[in-house]
Every structure is written in structure tokens, then in C-alpha cells.
Amino acid sequence: MKPILTIAIPTWNRAAYLEKNLIQLSSELKNIKEGLVEILVSDNFSTDGTESSVQKIKNKHSLPLKYIKNEKNLGWGLNFFQCFNFSKGKYVLILGDDDLLYDDALGYLVEKLLNTNYGVVSIRPYGFNDDFRLEYPGRSKSREKVYKDDSKFLLDINSIMRMISSSIINKEIINDFDTTKINPGNFAHLHLIFTALLKAKENLFLDKFLVATMRNNSSNYDFYEIFVVEYWSLLDSYIPKGLKKETIKKMQNDMLFTYYPYYALKERMSNNQEGKETIKYFKVFHNSLLFKVWLAPTLKWPKVLAVFWGAMTTFVGRTYNGELLRGISFLWKSVIKAKFK
């Protein structure tokens, strides 16, 4: 029987995190019919005992798991594509090695995927620091929305699709996708997302917190080079393939208003110098009035004024985006409640 879902995990030298991930998956699989879900681990030539750790978990929990160890480090993007290529399921979820499916999430996902043909199924992630159950934002009412318009779908998942564990891809619908012809860069998963959603008749957003992603656990990187320059260049490359320019413009405005203010504020709080050098990364926005009045002051003004403005724009943007209540929930559950427990 062909699996309905492959959960593929690219990993490199993070055995401790991977163990927690696999133990949680083994617990989730107990209530799933055998053969419906495939687990795949693609080890990018780890040297920290990942292989023995995987075998220990596999044997102890009778986990139906396929393990691949590369003979050399392929780089993050190519290892990600390898996960996709070796997956046998109709749908593929590339799950970060330090991310965790929340309790009962797998059964819920399998139920929603059976007998369907969505291009992309987007799921809501949430961040955690230590305890993914204690820091769970809450069991809000699940909202499910089917989209026939790919532009509306993209605008609704704009704030979460950069996280690799938030998207499930229909592999069958893009079975002609040739990963050898794509430079994966830092957003390998976005190539799969855009290709699938543009080909599909329908896409699905499961607006429910289903996957926990560990905060501040990535390697050092140039935020603006990746999340401004590379990101928008990648989106532009899909215009000839059907991605609408007006959709990209709306996505840009959304990120200017809700996403970038926090990072500009963070930079100015840690740096006494003005952020004028940072503005060069925002070349794509130089004709944007929203950029000039909303984001640029945090980068250009003297530090005291810049921090005040950045704090205000971050607060307003996060509130508009529905992040404020989640932040308060995180503060209560992970800090206040834990302290007095």
C-alpha cells in the first residue's frame, strides 16, 4: 500500500533534537493504520552519532523508518530535495529535525489528506523554547479553508510559509519536478510550494496549531540577504510560471507592515549605529511609500526615536497579524505560569 503521507526529516549533527522528534512521531503513529504514514530521515553526513541514535529509536519504538546517510554533506538545500525525491507518499511533509508534531496532529492530518488532491496543505506552526506542550498557544477552534484561487491562498499563508514544517506538498501533482535543474538556495521548500499550488485546482489551509518549531535554533545567517534579497528574487522568478505580480506586491506590503518591523527594531536595539547600511537590502521597496513611512524610520532615525518607532510598528503589525495574543499566551505559559507551578 502506498503511504498517504511521508514525513521526511533532513538532519545534520542534531541527534538530540532528532531523538525527541522521532519519539514524538512514534507516539503519534500508535493510532494510525499501518502503512498510511512513512517516516524518512536523510542524514547529511552527521558526525555526532546520529546514525546510532536513529537505530536506537527505531528498534525501541518499532518505528517504520527509512534511514539514508549521505557519503558527504550535500548542503541544506540539496538534502532537502533528496528528502522529497526519496519520499513514497502521495503527500510529503518535510519536517525540521528540531520541530515536533503536536499531540494528535498526525491523526488529524491523515484524516484530512485521505481521498483528496490538494496541491499544498498549509498548517499553522507555533514557536517554543523548552516545553512544546507547556508553551502550546491553546486549542482554538480549528478553521479549515479550501482555496480555488492560488493568490488568496498565498496571501493567507504568507506569514508562515517560510517555515519548512508548515507545508505539505502533493508529490503526485508535481511528479515531473526535476530538482537537478533548480538551485535550492535557502528556500528549497518554496520551489515545491509554488510549483504545486500553481498546478493544483485546490489548496487547503488548516488554521490550527499542529507543529511546534524551536525558537532561535538556526545557524548564523544574514537575515536581510536571505529574507529580503533572496526571498523576493525567488518569488519574481515564478512570475513567468503563473505567480501574479499584484499578488507579490500584496505579499510585500503585508511583510513590510507585520514582519520586518520586529527585525529592524532588534537590529537598532543591539546597535548604536544607524541602520542606513541595511536599507540597501530593501532596494525592491525603494519606491514604496509604506516602506518609507513605516519601516525606514526605524533604520534611519537616531537610536532613541528609532527604537520607539520600531516598538510601535512591531506592536501594531503583530496585533494586526494576530500574533499579539499568541505572544501573551507564550509569556503566561512559559514564564509566569512555569515560575509559580
Side-chain angles (χ1 to χ4, degrees):
M1 179 174 66
K2 182 176 180 177
I4 188 65
L5 174 66
T6 295
I7 298 176
I9 307 170
T11 191
W12 179 66
N13 282 346
R14 298 212 283 195
Y17 293 119
L18 181 61
E19 275 197 28
K20 294 178 181 179
N21 185 324
L22 294 177
I23 290 171
Q24 175 65 4
L25 282 176
S26 69
S27 176
E28 288 288 282
L29 280 168
K30 289 178 181 178
N31 297 318
I32 306 296
K33 183 178 177 181
E34 185 177 351
L36 284 179
V37 176
E38 173 192 38
I39 308 296
L40 171 69
V41 172
S42 182
D43 181 353
N44 211 8
F45 195 62
S46 294
T47 56
D48 67 341
T50 290
E51 183 172 4
S52 60
S53 179
V54 169
Q55 291 300 327
K56 180 182 71 174
I57 298 296
K58 179 179 179 180
N59 296 335
K60 182 177 179 180
H61 297 273
S62 301
L63 194 62
L65 182 150
K66 180 177 181 180
Y67 174 74
I68 302 168
K69 183 166 184 178
N70 300 329
E71 294 181 355
K72 63 178 182 179
N73 191 318
L74 303 178
W76 181 87
L78 292 179
N79 195 37
F80 182 102
F81 278 161
Q82 178 169 274
C83 280
F84 183 77
N85 291 334
F86 278 86
S87 297
K88 295 181 179 179
K90 176 178 180 177
Y91 290 97
V92 180
L93 169 60
I94 310 290
L95 187 65
D97 55 8
D98 57 342
D99 295 341
L100 299 161
L101 284 183
Y102 193 71
D103 298 334
D104 301 322
L106 185 56
Y108 174 78
L109 287 174
V110 169
E111 179 186 345
K112 299 303 175 185
L113 296 177
L114 284 170
N115 304 313
T116 64
N117 199 38
Y118 302 115
V120 176
V121 177
S122 185
I123 61 179
R124 177 74 70 180
Y126 69 94
F128 77 102
N129 288 330
D130 300 303
D131 188 324
F132 77 102
R133 293 188 177 94
L134 178 63
E135 298 169 48
Y136 186 67
R139 295 180 180 274
S140 58
K141 185 177 180 181
S142 173
R143 290 174 291 178
E144 303 169 11
K145 188 174 180 180
V146 176
Y147 297 77
K148 296 182 183 295
D149 185 324
D150 53 76
S151 292
K152 290 182 179 178
F153 178 62
L154 270 175
L155 290 171
D156 278 358
I157 69 169
N158 187 29
S159 65
I160 62 176
M161 70 177 183
R162 289 172 294 280
M163 303 177 190
I164 65 166
S165 302
S166 68
S167 298
I168 300 171
I169 312 296
N170 186 334
K171 187 175 182 180
E172 287 186 352
I173 213 168
I174 55 170
N175 55 15
D176 58 345
F177 184 88
D178 188 352
T179 57
T180 64
K181 295 181 178 180
I182 299 289
N183 177 5
N186 291 284
F187 295 107
H189 65 296
L190 291 184
H191 292 286
L192 302 176
I193 290 174
F194 293 140
T195 304
L197 72 87
L198 290 171
K199 281 192 173 187
K201 293 181 179 179
E202 293 182 335
N203 298 288
L204 175 67
F205 183 18
L206 299 175
D207 192 2
K208 179 180 182 180
F209 294 117
L210 296 174
V211 60
T213 62
M214 181 164 282
R215 289 188 176 95
N216 303 316
N217 199 34
S218 299
S219 302
N220 292 329
Y221 56 85
D222 187 328
F223 173 85
Y224 297 105
E225 183 65 43
I226 294 175
F227 288 92
V228 181
V229 178
E230 182 180 346
Y231 184 69
W232 296 115
S233 177
L234 188 154
L235 266 68
D236 284 345
S237 73
Y238 276 84
I239 292 175
K241 301 175 184 179
L243 190 58
K244 300 180 180 66
K245 288 184 180 179
E246 55 267 32
T247 301
I248 294 177
K249 182 65 176 177
K250 290 177 180 178
M251 293 170 70
Q252 288 175 336
N253 287 339
D254 177 63
M255 287 185 69
L256 277 174
F257 191 71
T258 65
Y259 183 70
Y260 291 132
Y262 167 77
Y263 292 96
L265 172 63
K266 185 178 178 181
E267 177 182 345
R268 292 310 306 277
M269 289 181 69
S270 63
N271 188 351
N272 287 322
Q273 302 299 316
E274 293 182 8
K276 291 180 180 178
E277 281 297 309
T278 302
I279 290 178
K280 67 182 180 183
Y281 293 106
F282 287 90
K283 185 177 180 180
V284 67
F285 296 111
H286 280 189
N287 294 322
S288 166
L289 180 61
L290 181 61
F291 171 75
K292 293 175 182 178
V293 302
W294 191 251
L295 190 67
T298 306
L299 298 172
K300 295 172 65 175
W301 287 357
K303 184 171 183 179
V304 174
L305 290 175
V307 169
F308 171 79
W309 185 259
M312 184 276 293
T313 54
T314 297
F315 176 83
V316 173
R318 290 292 175 94
T319 301
Y320 176 83
N321 202 35
E323 296 291 314
L324 182 63
L325 290 177
R326 185 154 68 93
I328 293 172
S329 173
F330 162 73
L331 181 66
W332 166 253
K333 292 185 176 181
S334 65
V335 181
I336 302 174
K337 191 175 180 180
K339 183 176 181 179
F340 294 101
K341 187 175 179 181

